[in-house]
Tab-separated table of all heavy atoms in Angstrom:
chain	number	residue	atom	x	y	z
A	263	ALA	N	-33.218	5.030	-13.020
A	263	ALA	CA	-33.922	3.775	-13.284
A	263	ALA	C	-34.661	3.280	-12.047
A	263	ALA	O	-35.787	2.761	-12.145
A	263	ALA	CB	-32.942	2.716	-13.782
A	264	ALA	N	-34.044	3.438	-10.880
A	264	ALA	CA	-34.694	3.009	-9.640
A	264	ALA	C	-35.982	3.793	-9.398
A	264	ALA	O	-36.999	3.234	-8.948
A	264	ALA	CB	-33.743	3.176	-8.458
A	265	GLU	N	-35.949	5.087	-9.690
A	265	GLU	CA	-37.160	5.908	-9.549
A	265	GLU	C	-38.248	5.445	-10.506
A	265	GLU	O	-39.437	5.380	-10.153
A	265	GLU	CB	-36.808	7.373	-9.807
A	265	GLU	CG	-37.973	8.333	-9.658
A	265	GLU	CD	-38.395	8.532	-8.211
A	265	GLU	OE1	-37.574	8.267	-7.312
A	265	GLU	OE2	-39.539	8.958	-7.981
A	266	ILE	N	-37.858	5.085	-11.730
A	266	ILE	CA	-38.828	4.614	-12.722
A	266	ILE	C	-39.423	3.279	-12.288
A	266	ILE	O	-40.643	3.052	-12.409
A	266	ILE	CB	-38.162	4.499	-14.096
A	266	ILE	CG1	-37.800	5.898	-14.620
A	266	ILE	CG2	-39.071	3.786	-15.099
A	266	ILE	CD1	-36.918	5.898	-15.844
A	267	LEU	N	-38.592	2.396	-11.761
A	267	LEU	CA	-39.088	1.109	-11.282
A	267	LEU	C	-40.075	1.296	-10.131
A	267	LEU	O	-41.061	0.559	-10.021
A	267	LEU	CB	-37.916	0.224	-10.841
A	267	LEU	CG	-37.020	-0.306	-11.966
A	267	LEU	CD1	-35.793	-1.003	-11.384
A	267	LEU	CD2	-37.787	-1.259	-12.867
A	268	MET	N	-39.810	2.281	-9.284
A	268	MET	CA	-40.729	2.563	-8.186
A	268	MET	C	-42.063	3.081	-8.731
A	268	MET	O	-43.131	2.708	-8.237
A	268	MET	CB	-40.109	3.577	-7.233
A	268	MET	CG	-40.924	3.823	-5.970
A	268	MET	SD	-39.999	4.723	-4.702
A	268	MET	CE	-39.650	6.252	-5.584
A	269	LEU	N	-42.008	3.934	-9.755
A	269	LEU	CA	-43.240	4.424	-10.380
A	269	LEU	C	-44.020	3.280	-11.014
A	269	LEU	O	-45.258	3.240	-10.943
A	269	LEU	CB	-42.906	5.482	-11.435
A	269	LEU	CG	-42.365	6.820	-10.917
A	269	LEU	CD1	-41.880	7.683	-12.074
A	269	LEU	CD2	-43.445	7.555	-10.122
A	270	LEU	N	-43.299	2.348	-11.624
A	270	LEU	CA	-43.966	1.182	-12.218
A	270	LEU	C	-44.659	0.342	-11.150
A	270	LEU	O	-45.792	-0.122	-11.342
A	270	LEU	CB	-42.938	0.315	-12.952
A	270	LEU	CG	-42.664	0.603	-14.428
A	270	LEU	CD1	-41.544	-0.297	-14.922
A	270	LEU	CD2	-43.914	0.408	-15.262
A	271	ALA	N	-43.975	0.145	-10.019
A	271	ALA	CA	-44.549	-0.660	-8.941
A	271	ALA	C	-45.810	-0.004	-8.390
A	271	ALA	O	-46.778	-0.698	-8.038
A	271	ALA	CB	-43.518	-0.851	-7.833
A	272	ARG	N	-45.843	1.321	-8.307
A	272	ARG	CA	-47.012	2.020	-7.790
A	272	ARG	C	-48.212	1.893	-8.716
A	272	ARG	O	-49.354	2.018	-8.272
A	272	ARG	CB	-46.683	3.498	-7.592
A	272	ARG	CG	-45.728	3.777	-6.439
A	272	ARG	CD	-45.338	5.237	-6.413
A	272	ARG	NE	-44.425	5.532	-5.314
A	272	ARG	CZ	-43.786	6.684	-5.176
A	272	ARG	NH1	-43.976	7.652	-6.073
A	272	ARG	NH2	-42.978	6.879	-4.157
A	273	ARG	N	-47.964	1.660	-9.999
A	273	ARG	CA	-49.063	1.554	-10.963
A	273	ARG	C	-49.740	0.194	-10.923
A	273	ARG	O	-50.824	0.025	-11.466
A	273	ARG	CB	-48.554	1.788	-12.386
A	273	ARG	CG	-48.063	3.190	-12.657
A	273	ARG	CD	-47.609	3.317	-14.092
A	273	ARG	NE	-48.691	3.622	-15.001
A	273	ARG	CZ	-48.911	3.030	-16.177
A	273	ARG	NH1	-48.120	2.051	-16.557
A	273	ARG	NH2	-49.913	3.388	-16.949
A	274	ARG	N	-49.073	-0.798	-10.304
A	274	ARG	CA	-49.649	-2.138	-10.281
A	274	ARG	C	-50.878	-2.147	-9.385
A	274	ARG	O	-50.884	-1.550	-8.305
A	274	ARG	CB	-48.629	-3.160	-9.780
A	274	ARG	CG	-47.461	-3.341	-10.740
A	274	ARG	CD	-46.510	-4.432	-10.281
A	274	ARG	NE	-47.172	-5.723	-10.178
A	274	ARG	CZ	-47.495	-6.485	-11.217
A	274	ARG	NH1	-47.245	-6.070	-12.438
A	274	ARG	NH2	-48.078	-7.653	-11.040
A	275	PRO	N	-51.931	-2.831	-9.807
A	275	PRO	CA	-53.156	-2.849	-9.005
A	275	PRO	C	-52.945	-3.518	-7.662
A	275	PRO	O	-52.067	-4.370	-7.502
A	275	PRO	CB	-54.131	-3.654	-9.888
A	275	PRO	CG	-53.264	-4.460	-10.791
A	275	PRO	CD	-52.051	-3.624	-11.044
A	276	ALA	N	-53.737	-3.106	-6.693
A	276	ALA	CA	-53.647	-3.679	-5.352
A	276	ALA	C	-53.896	-5.178	-5.401
A	276	ALA	O	-54.806	-5.653	-6.086
A	276	ALA	CB	-54.666	-3.008	-4.428
A	277	GLY	N	-53.081	-5.930	-4.695
A	277	GLY	CA	-53.236	-7.377	-4.652
A	277	GLY	C	-52.510	-8.104	-5.753
A	277	GLY	O	-52.470	-9.337	-5.759
A	278	ALA	N	-51.929	-7.364	-6.715
A	278	ALA	CA	-51.201	-8.018	-7.798
A	278	ALA	C	-49.895	-8.574	-7.264
A	278	ALA	O	-49.316	-8.028	-6.323
A	278	ALA	CB	-50.926	-7.030	-8.928
A	279	PRO	N	-49.393	-9.685	-7.841
A	279	PRO	CA	-48.123	-10.248	-7.359
A	279	PRO	C	-46.990	-9.282	-7.595
A	279	PRO	O	-47.030	-8.482	-8.536
A	279	PRO	CB	-47.956	-11.525	-8.207
A	279	PRO	CG	-48.789	-11.282	-9.431
A	279	PRO	CD	-49.952	-10.450	-8.962
A	280	PRO	N	-45.967	-9.302	-6.750
A	280	PRO	CA	-44.837	-8.382	-6.914
A	280	PRO	C	-44.062	-8.682	-8.179
A	280	PRO	O	-44.131	-9.787	-8.722
A	280	PRO	CB	-43.981	-8.656	-5.675
A	280	PRO	CG	-44.310	-10.061	-5.301
A	280	PRO	CD	-45.774	-10.244	-5.639
A	281	LEU	N	-43.323	-7.683	-8.653
A	281	LEU	CA	-42.483	-7.874	-9.818
A	281	LEU	C	-41.211	-8.596	-9.418
A	281	LEU	O	-40.654	-8.374	-8.366
A	281	LEU	CB	-42.111	-6.520	-10.437
A	281	LEU	CG	-43.253	-5.696	-11.029
A	281	LEU	CD1	-42.705	-4.372	-11.539
A	281	LEU	CD2	-43.952	-6.435	-12.148
A	282	ASN	N	-40.772	-9.494	-10.284
A	282	ASN	CA	-39.479	-10.122	-10.056
A	282	ASN	C	-38.386	-9.227	-10.625
A	282	ASN	O	-38.671	-8.170	-11.167
A	282	ASN	CB	-39.460	-11.538	-10.676
A	282	ASN	CG	-39.633	-11.502	-12.187
A	282	ASN	OD1	-39.412	-10.469	-12.826
A	282	ASN	ND2	-40.011	-12.626	-12.762
A	283	PRO	N	-37.122	-9.605	-10.526
A	283	PRO	CA	-36.051	-8.710	-10.968
A	283	PRO	C	-36.104	-8.318	-12.428
A	283	PRO	O	-35.435	-7.390	-12.824
A	283	PRO	CB	-34.778	-9.525	-10.655
A	283	PRO	CG	-35.160	-10.401	-9.525
A	283	PRO	CD	-36.591	-10.767	-9.795
A	284	VAL	N	-36.858	-9.032	-13.258
A	284	VAL	CA	-36.920	-8.651	-14.659
A	284	VAL	C	-38.247	-8.004	-15.001
A	284	VAL	O	-38.634	-7.900	-16.159
A	284	VAL	CB	-36.681	-9.860	-15.595
A	284	VAL	CG1	-35.305	-10.419	-15.411
A	284	VAL	CG2	-37.718	-10.939	-15.383
A	285	GLY	N	-38.980	-7.527	-13.997
A	285	GLY	CA	-40.155	-6.730	-14.259
A	285	GLY	C	-41.418	-7.511	-14.556
A	285	GLY	O	-42.424	-6.932	-14.956
A	286	GLU	N	-41.414	-8.828	-14.382
A	286	GLU	CA	-42.593	-9.633	-14.630
A	286	GLU	C	-43.191	-10.086	-13.302
A	286	GLU	O	-42.508	-10.122	-12.282
A	286	GLU	CB	-42.222	-10.869	-15.465
A	286	GLU	CG	-41.672	-10.518	-16.843
A	286	GLU	CD	-41.217	-11.757	-17.577
A	286	GLU	OE1	-41.034	-12.793	-16.913
A	286	GLU	OE2	-41.054	-11.693	-18.800
A	287	PRO	N	-44.484	-10.457	-13.295
A	287	PRO	CA	-45.068	-10.981	-12.070
A	287	PRO	C	-44.287	-12.186	-11.569
A	287	PRO	O	-43.922	-13.063	-12.347
A	287	PRO	CB	-46.492	-11.376	-12.486
A	287	PRO	CG	-46.775	-10.520	-13.685
A	287	PRO	CD	-45.464	-10.361	-14.389
A	288	ALA	N	-44.008	-12.191	-10.286
A	288	ALA	CA	-43.221	-13.284	-9.721
A	288	ALA	C	-44.031	-14.576	-9.736
A	288	ALA	O	-45.171	-14.627	-9.332
A	288	ALA	CB	-42.815	-12.943	-8.285
A	289	GLU	N	-43.416	-15.656	-10.227
A	289	GLU	CA	-44.068	-16.958	-10.283
A	289	GLU	C	-43.188	-18.023	-9.640
A	289	GLU	O	-43.240	-19.190	-9.982
A	289	GLU	CB	-44.346	-17.337	-11.740
A	289	GLU	CG	-45.251	-16.356	-12.463
A	289	GLU	CD	-45.377	-16.671	-13.930
A	289	GLU	OE1	-44.665	-17.564	-14.405
A	289	GLU	OE2	-46.194	-16.043	-14.599
A	290	GLY	N	-42.378	-17.585	-8.709
A	290	GLY	CA	-41.477	-18.527	-8.077
A	290	GLY	C	-40.175	-18.620	-8.856
A	290	GLY	O	-40.089	-18.195	-10.001
A	291	PRO	N	-39.141	-19.170	-8.251
A	291	PRO	CA	-37.841	-19.248	-8.921
A	291	PRO	C	-37.896	-20.151	-10.132
A	291	PRO	O	-38.539	-21.191	-10.130
A	291	PRO	CB	-36.931	-19.820	-7.827
A	291	PRO	CG	-37.848	-20.539	-6.903
A	291	PRO	CD	-39.128	-19.767	-6.911
A	292	ARG	N	-37.213	-19.726	-11.185
A	292	ARG	CA	-37.139	-20.523	-12.402
A	292	ARG	C	-35.665	-20.630	-12.762
A	292	ARG	O	-35.147	-19.863	-13.554
A	292	ARG	CB	-37.915	-19.865	-13.533
A	292	ARG	CG	-39.417	-19.820	-13.294
A	292	ARG	CD	-40.126	-19.059	-14.382
A	292	ARG	NE	-39.808	-17.648	-14.312
A	292	ARG	CZ	-40.235	-16.762	-15.201
A	292	ARG	NH1	-40.967	-17.143	-16.210
A	292	ARG	NH2	-39.902	-15.487	-15.069
A	293	LEU	N	-34.993	-21.586	-12.158
A	293	LEU	CA	-33.562	-21.701	-12.321
A	293	LEU	C	-33.221	-22.987	-13.054
A	293	LEU	O	-33.878	-24.006	-12.888
A	293	LEU	CB	-32.859	-21.698	-10.955
A	293	LEU	CG	-33.077	-20.441	-10.110
A	293	LEU	CD1	-32.479	-20.663	-8.731
A	293	LEU	CD2	-32.433	-19.238	-10.768
A	294	SER	N	-32.186	-22.918	-13.859
A	294	SER	CA	-31.689	-24.114	-14.528
A	294	SER	C	-30.209	-24.221	-14.237
A	294	SER	O	-29.553	-23.234	-13.929
A	294	SER	CB	-31.923	-24.019	-16.040
A	294	SER	OG	-31.280	-22.874	-16.565
A	295	PRO	N	-29.653	-25.434	-14.326
A	295	PRO	CA	-28.237	-25.580	-14.003
A	295	PRO	C	-27.375	-24.701	-14.886
A	295	PRO	O	-27.639	-24.548	-16.081
A	295	PRO	CB	-27.967	-27.077	-14.264
A	295	PRO	CG	-29.314	-27.724	-14.175
A	295	PRO	CD	-30.288	-26.704	-14.677
A	296	ALA	N	-26.343	-24.135	-14.296
A	296	ALA	CA	-25.430	-23.316	-15.077
A	296	ALA	C	-24.657	-24.192	-16.053
A	296	ALA	O	-24.372	-25.360	-15.790
A	296	ALA	CB	-24.446	-22.600	-14.144
A	297	ARG	N	-24.317	-23.642	-17.218
A	297	ARG	CA	-23.604	-24.412	-18.227
A	297	ARG	C	-22.158	-24.632	-17.762
A	297	ARG	O	-21.624	-23.874	-16.967
A	297	ARG	CB	-23.603	-23.656	-19.555
A	297	ARG	CG	-22.865	-22.333	-19.498
A	297	ARG	CD	-22.973	-21.607	-20.824
A	297	ARG	NE	-22.311	-20.316	-20.771
A	297	ARG	CZ	-21.021	-20.145	-21.009
A	297	ARG	NH1	-20.273	-21.176	-21.314
A	297	ARG	NH2	-20.463	-18.943	-20.949
A	298	PRO	N	-21.499	-25.674	-18.263
A	298	PRO	CA	-20.094	-25.877	-17.896
A	298	PRO	C	-19.235	-24.713	-18.375
A	298	PRO	O	-19.458	-24.160	-19.441
A	298	PRO	CB	-19.728	-27.181	-18.639
A	298	PRO	CG	-21.032	-27.824	-18.971
A	298	PRO	CD	-22.022	-26.713	-19.138
A	299	ILE	N	-18.242	-24.351	-17.591
A	299	ILE	CA	-17.332	-23.276	-17.955
A	299	ILE	C	-16.020	-23.887	-18.438
A	299	ILE	O	-15.398	-24.677	-17.729
A	299	ILE	CB	-17.066	-22.349	-16.762
A	299	ILE	CG1	-18.395	-21.741	-16.299
A	299	ILE	CG2	-16.071	-21.248	-17.117
A	299	ILE	CD1	-19.059	-20.857	-17.331
A	300	LEU	N	-15.604	-23.576	-19.644
A	300	LEU	CA	-14.368	-24.101	-20.187
A	300	LEU	C	-13.174	-23.404	-19.547
A	300	LEU	O	-13.246	-22.265	-19.123
A	300	LEU	CB	-14.333	-23.898	-21.709
A	300	LEU	CG	-15.492	-24.546	-22.495
A	300	LEU	CD1	-15.341	-24.211	-23.964
A	300	LEU	CD2	-15.504	-26.048	-22.285
A	301	GLU	N	-12.041	-24.098	-19.518
A	301	GLU	CA	-10.830	-23.546	-18.923
A	301	GLU	C	-10.440	-22.234	-19.591
A	301	GLU	O	-9.998	-21.302	-18.949
A	301	GLU	CB	-9.689	-24.559	-19.066
A	301	GLU	CG	-8.420	-24.191	-18.321
A	301	GLU	CD	-8.529	-24.538	-16.852
A	301	GLU	OE1	-9.419	-25.321	-16.496
A	301	GLU	OE2	-7.729	-24.020	-16.073
A	302	CYS	N	-10.638	-22.153	-20.922
A	302	CYS	CA	-10.206	-20.964	-21.648
A	302	CYS	C	-11.074	-19.756	-21.334
A	302	CYS	O	-10.737	-18.632	-21.717
A	302	CYS	CB	-10.230	-21.224	-23.162
A	302	CYS	SG	-11.862	-21.617	-23.813
A	303	GLU	N	-12.216	-19.946	-20.656
A	303	GLU	CA	-13.079	-18.832	-20.346
A	303	GLU	C	-12.633	-18.076	-19.097
A	303	GLU	O	-13.145	-17.004	-18.796
A	303	GLU	CB	-14.521	-19.309	-20.146
A	303	GLU	CG	-15.161	-19.800	-21.431
A	303	GLU	CD	-16.595	-20.211	-21.188
A	303	GLU	OE1	-17.443	-19.339	-21.047
A	303	GLU	OE2	-16.837	-21.417	-21.119
A	304	PHE	N	-11.692	-18.644	-18.360
A	304	PHE	CA	-11.193	-17.970	-17.165
A	304	PHE	C	-10.530	-16.657	-17.565
A	304	PHE	O	-9.800	-16.583	-18.540
A	304	PHE	CB	-10.182	-18.872	-16.460
A	304	PHE	CG	-9.500	-18.219	-15.293
A	304	PHE	CD1	-10.205	-17.942	-14.147
A	304	PHE	CD2	-8.167	-17.894	-15.359
A	304	PHE	CE1	-9.583	-17.355	-13.073
A	304	PHE	CE2	-7.524	-17.304	-14.294
A	304	PHE	CZ	-8.237	-17.034	-13.139
A	305	ALA	N	-10.824	-15.621	-16.839
A	305	ALA	CA	-10.273	-14.313	-17.195
A	305	ALA	C	-9.830	-13.580	-15.953
A	305	ALA	O	-10.400	-13.737	-14.874
A	305	ALA	CB	-11.322	-13.483	-17.942
A	306	CYS	N	-8.789	-12.788	-16.081
A	306	CYS	CA	-8.383	-11.911	-15.000
A	306	CYS	C	-7.913	-10.602	-15.607
A	306	CYS	O	-7.341	-10.587	-16.692
A	306	CYS	CB	-7.287	-12.534	-14.139
A	306	CYS	SG	-5.753	-12.841	-15.029
A	307	ARG	N	-8.193	-9.511	-14.929
A	307	ARG	CA	-7.835	-8.206	-15.446
A	307	ARG	C	-7.320	-7.352	-14.290
A	307	ARG	O	-7.733	-7.503	-13.143
A	307	ARG	CB	-9.048	-7.509	-16.074
A	307	ARG	CG	-9.621	-8.241	-17.249
A	307	ARG	CD	-10.652	-7.384	-17.957
A	307	ARG	NE	-11.809	-7.115	-17.135
A	307	ARG	CZ	-12.835	-7.943	-17.007
A	307	ARG	NH1	-12.820	-9.085	-17.634
A	307	ARG	NH2	-13.869	-7.629	-16.258
A	308	LEU	N	-6.418	-6.445	-14.617
A	308	LEU	CA	-5.911	-5.479	-13.651
A	308	LEU	C	-6.454	-4.121	-14.033
A	308	LEU	O	-6.297	-3.669	-15.151
A	308	LEU	CB	-4.377	-5.444	-13.673
A	308	LEU	CG	-3.715	-4.315	-12.868
A	308	LEU	CD1	-4.053	-4.481	-11.396
A	308	LEU	CD2	-2.221	-4.317	-13.077
A	309	ARG	N	-7.142	-3.489	-13.091
A	309	ARG	CA	-7.732	-2.201	-13.379
A	309	ARG	C	-7.473	-1.260	-12.213
A	309	ARG	O	-7.338	-1.690	-11.077
A	309	ARG	CB	-9.259	-2.304	-13.574
A	309	ARG	CG	-9.655	-3.267	-14.679
A	309	ARG	CD	-11.152	-3.381	-14.748
A	309	ARG	NE	-11.693	-3.903	-13.499
A	309	ARG	CZ	-12.970	-4.181	-13.338
A	309	ARG	NH1	-13.827	-3.970	-14.295
A	309	ARG	NH2	-13.422	-4.657	-12.190
A	310	ILE	N	-7.391	0.009	-12.507
A	310	ILE	CA	-7.342	1.019	-11.457
A	310	ILE	C	-8.691	1.680	-11.424
A	310	ILE	O	-9.140	2.272	-12.415
A	310	ILE	CB	-6.235	2.060	-11.716
A	310	ILE	CG1	-4.866	1.371	-11.643
A	310	ILE	CG2	-6.312	3.179	-10.695
A	310	ILE	CD1	-3.711	2.317	-11.841
A	311	PHE	N	-9.379	1.548	-10.312
A	311	PHE	CA	-10.725	2.086	-10.164
A	311	PHE	C	-10.599	3.498	-9.636
A	311	PHE	O	-10.180	3.729	-8.514
A	311	PHE	CB	-11.511	1.195	-9.199
A	311	PHE	CG	-12.794	1.799	-8.710
A	311	PHE	CD1	-13.663	2.446	-9.565
A	311	PHE	CD2	-13.121	1.702	-7.363
A	311	PHE	CE1	-14.828	2.998	-9.095
A	311	PHE	CE2	-14.286	2.250	-6.892
A	311	PHE	CZ	-15.155	2.901	-7.746
A	312	ARG	N	-10.943	4.477	-10.477
A	312	ARG	CA	-10.865	5.873	-10.066
A	312	ARG	C	-12.275	6.421	-9.946
A	312	ARG	O	-13.071	6.328	-10.882
A	312	ARG	CB	-10.077	6.685	-11.101
A	312	ARG	CG	-8.651	6.196	-11.287
A	312	ARG	CD	-7.931	7.086	-12.284
A	312	ARG	NE	-6.611	6.558	-12.584
A	312	ARG	CZ	-5.534	6.798	-11.858
A	312	ARG	NH1	-5.633	7.539	-10.773
A	312	ARG	NH2	-4.353	6.299	-12.208
A	313	ARG	N	-12.559	6.995	-8.801
A	313	ARG	CA	-13.879	7.585	-8.587
A	313	ARG	C	-13.921	8.979	-9.192
A	313	ARG	O	-12.940	9.699	-9.216
A	313	ARG	CB	-14.198	7.657	-7.102
A	313	ARG	CG	-14.517	6.312	-6.507
A	313	ARG	CD	-14.958	6.477	-5.074
A	313	ARG	NE	-13.846	6.943	-4.264
A	313	ARG	CZ	-14.008	7.662	-3.170
A	313	ARG	NH1	-15.202	8.040	-2.801
A	313	ARG	NH2	-12.967	8.042	-2.457
A	314	ALA	N	-15.090	9.344	-9.673
A	314	ALA	CA	-15.257	10.688	-10.208
A	314	ALA	C	-15.153	11.701	-9.079
A	314	ALA	O	-15.604	11.441	-7.958
A	314	ALA	CB	-16.619	10.819	-10.891
A	315	PRO	N	-14.516	12.860	-9.353
A	315	PRO	CA	-14.397	13.869	-8.286
A	315	PRO	C	-15.741	14.422	-7.889
A	315	PRO	O	-16.669	14.428	-8.674
A	315	PRO	CB	-13.514	14.930	-8.928
A	315	PRO	CG	-13.703	14.754	-10.404
A	315	PRO	CD	-13.940	13.298	-10.621
Side-chain angles (χ1 to χ4, degrees):
E265 181 72 21
I266 292 169
L267 290 172
M268 186 167 61
L269 291 171
L270 270 176
R272 289 174 180 170
R273 294 181 85 226
R274 293 184 60 76
L281 295 178
N282 63 20
V284 297
E286 298 175 343
E289 300 173 353
R292 293 175 291 176
L293 300 173
S294 58
R297 63 183 178 86
I299 300 296
L300 302 178
E301 188 80 17
C302 62
E303 291 182 75
F304 174 70
C306 63
R307 298 190 295 276
L308 171 63
R309 302 176 299 185
I310 295 182
F311 167 44
R312 300 182 186 275
R313 287 186 293 152

